Amino acid sequence: MYGLPYTGHSFLAHLVVIAVAQIRNVYSFFKSGILDQCSQK
Amino acid sequence: MPKIAAVVPAFNEEKTLGNTLNSLLHIFSHKDIYVISDGSTDGTAAKAREYTENVLDEFQNRGKMKSLNYLIQSFSLTERYDYILFVDADTTVAFDFLEQVTPLLTDDTACIVGQIISRSHNFLTFYRKIEYFIGQEIYKKSQSSLGIITVAPGCSSIFNTRCLKEIDFSNPTLAEDLDMTIQIYRKNLGKIKYCSQARVYTQDPATFRDFYNQIKRWHCGWFQCLKRYRVPFGWTRFDLEALYLTSEGVIYGFLTLGLPWLIFKYPQLTLMGILADFSIFFLFTLYISYRNNIYRYLPLVPLYYVLKMLQSIIYIRCLCFSRNHLWRKVRRY
């Protein structure tokens, strides 16, 4: 989308999407870790 | 390990083609590199033959999309390879590009998009560096997590040949990469993913004239494709993203055009809005200066901001006259 005019609006909206995706990644990482530990026990 | 070919379309690129092919030879065998000289009048084909035997030298200039298709058909690339990397003749590829993208090449993937980095040359190419960073590390990254990447750039994307067989190359627009991207969504050919670690380095316009022509082509191509594929009336997630970005651009363009009136009518509110937008832009320029260790262009941030506004006016111009644009070659340096 290079060159397309953008403002702080879509910029912040896309930044929020990245933040949510990162939180989901961290959550699923810990969740899978806990599930692994439970299954080992 | 999937079989991958590198394809380079070139039109009068004698000056930069050597660097491109040299970078490709670090990661591909010369047998897997294919070049088409699309009606070049300089020594492009001869230069290409110094690096690979797979060279087509066409007398007639067909345009990028048609020449790519001709090359793919001539060498039966979709039958012989699993993936094809498209590289522009002004672009060099990082030596670890394939290592980075290979883990992402799954059956349901139509295309992997690498990160484009503008090669440093002057203050205009530095501005492009800022644009690329925002466009890729913010917009493209978030679009990738939602599965709605709007453009798979023609100089940094690796396509599944299964999907290339389904793409119609016969009626090209000014933005062939956007055309191919929308076809992938419309025909449900698979996922498009962004890999920021897979890098290519490209040469961007170094003069205002070339910069203006390139921006105009991108914008006109954008509107041509939206019109051809009836975006946003497919009402998919991609359509909604395209609608969001397009409408924001149109509003921004009209606000820029009406800026003198806005300042006259609502001076405080307008200046606060500009200041907020400028602050975000300034912070990013500062960050990119720090990342690249180039601080000499920082005093030009106000000029860059004006350029950003001018781009939005060009955008409105292209919205109204998207048919009247001819492709013009960017001068190499």
Side-chain angles (χ1 to χ4, degrees):
Chain A
M1 60 137 279
Y2 327 111
L4 283 191
Y6 56 89
T7 64
H9 190 275
S10 69
F11 177 83
L12 290 174
H14 285 79
L15 213 56
V16 168
V17 171
I18 293 175
V20 171
Q22 293 295 343
I23 292 166
R24 277 179 61 182
N25 282 347
V26 172
Y27 173 72
S28 58
F29 174 76
F30 281 111
K31 197 179 161 191
S32 64
I34 290 164
L35 285 176
D36 279 352
Q37 276 192 347
C38 290
S39 61
Q40 277 173 12
K41 280 180 185 174
Chain B
M1 182 73 182
K3 287 188 78 182
I4 307 173
V7 163
V8 185
F11 172 61
N12 289 342
E13 299 282 9
E14 184 186 14
K15 207 169 177 178
T16 54
L17 185 63
N19 286 337
T20 303
L21 296 176
N22 225 348
S23 74
L24 286 172
L25 278 174
H26 283 99
I27 51 176
F28 286 96
S29 154
H30 64 95
K31 290 174 190 164
D32 297 324
I33 299 173
Y34 298 83
V35 181
I36 180 160
S37 166
D38 185 23
S40 301
T41 49
D42 65 354
T44 297
K47 191 77 184 170
R49 285 196 187 96
E50 290 174 21
Y51 297 86
T52 173
E53 61 269 33
N54 305 319
V55 179
L56 285 183
D57 187 9
E58 287 301 296
F59 290 107
Q60 189 196 350
N61 182 266
R62 298 165 186 255
K64 191 172 170 182
M65 207 158 169
K66 281 185 179 171
S67 65
L68 276 175
N69 189 36
Y70 182 65
L71 181 73
I72 290 169
Q73 300 302 329
S74 301
F75 288 100
S76 308
L77 297 184
T78 47
E79 274 73 46
R80 293 169 48 217
Y81 291 93
D82 302 314
Y83 293 90
I84 295 178
L85 168 67
F86 292 122
V87 184
D88 283 349
D90 60 347
T91 304
T92 55
V93 180
F95 66 91
D96 63 344
F97 186 93
L98 286 186
E99 278 169 43
Q100 298 295 343
V101 296
T102 307
L104 300 174
L105 299 175
T106 51
D107 284 343
D108 61 345
T109 306
C111 170
I112 305 287
V113 179
Q115 184 181 177
I116 306 170
I117 293 170
S118 182
R119 269 190 241 145
S120 300
H121 183 70
N122 65 9
F123 70 100
L124 261 183
T125 57
F126 187 77
Y127 173 69
R128 201 31 83 63
K129 239 184 224 301
I130 303 167
E131 283 224 308
Y132 280 163
F133 183 81
I134 295 173
Q136 295 177 110
E137 288 300 283
I138 306 294
Y139 284 80
K140 198 150 275 172
K141 207 172 238 180
S142 77
Q143 288 174 349
S144 186
S145 68
L146 295 171
I148 48 168
I149 286 181
T150 40
V151 186
C155 65
S156 68
S157 300
I158 183 162
F159 286 85
N160 193 327
T161 48
R162 166 188 60 77
C163 128
L164 283 176
K165 284 177 194 166
E166 306 294 326
I167 286 178
D168 177 16
F169 290 85
S170 62
N171 200 5
T173 53
L174 282 165
E176 87 297 332
D177 43 9
L178 178 61
D179 197 313
M180 287 167 76
T181 310
I182 302 182
Q183 286 195 49
I184 289 173
Y185 290 118
R186 286 289 184 260
K187 296 175 182 175
N188 280 323
L189 299 177
K191 291 178 185 167
I192 304 178
K193 296 173 190 166
Y194 172 60
C195 178
S196 63
Q197 290 80 22
R199 293 182 177 139
V200 302
Y201 300 86
T202 193
Q203 207 180 79
D204 281 302
T207 64
F208 278 113
R209 191 189 168 85
D210 284 344
F211 182 86
Y212 170 72
N213 282 329
Q214 193 185 50
I215 286 291
K216 217 165 87 173
R217 182 175 70 81
W218 284 352
H219 289 177
C220 289
W222 173 263
F223 287 116
Q224 268 187 352
C225 287
L226 296 193
K227 203 172 165 188
R228 172 175 294 177
Y229 296 102
R230 297 176 187 279
V231 179
F233 300 110
W235 301 115
T236 61
R237 279 193 296 178
F238 163 79
D239 288 77
L240 295 178
E241 171 75 352
L243 175 66
Y244 176 37
L245 294 175
T246 308
S247 49
E248 187 191 42
V250 171
I251 292 168
Y252 185 39
F254 279 116
L255 283 177
T256 309
L257 280 172
L259 205 57
W261 181 80
L262 283 171
I263 289 175
F264 177 72
K265 196 81 178 165
Y266 312 101
Q268 216 172 350
L269 194 70
T270 309
L271 290 175
M272 272 173 64
I274 292 174
L275 197 68
D277 197 39
F278 178 80
S279 304
I280 294 175
F281 185 72
F282 178 72
L283 285 175
F284 264 91
T285 311
L286 200 64
Y287 176 67
I288 289 150
S289 301
Y290 167 73
R291 246 171 79 117
N292 293 282
N293 204 15
I294 301 172
Y295 295 98
R296 62 180 179 277
Y297 299 124
L298 265 183
L300 297 179
V301 181
L303 170 71
Y304 291 157
Y305 193 70
V306 172
L307 260 181
K308 184 164 122 54
M309 286 178 151
L310 286 176
Q311 268 178 233
S312 70
I313 295 173
I314 301 170
Y315 188 70
I316 298 296
R317 188 189 180 281
C318 293
L319 171 68
C320 304
F321 310 105
S322 62
R323 281 183 197 166
N324 306 338
H325 182 77
L326 292 172
W327 186 84
R328 287 187 182 86
K329 188 169 171 54
V330 172
R331 267 170 291 176
R332 303 294 177 215
Y333 44 88

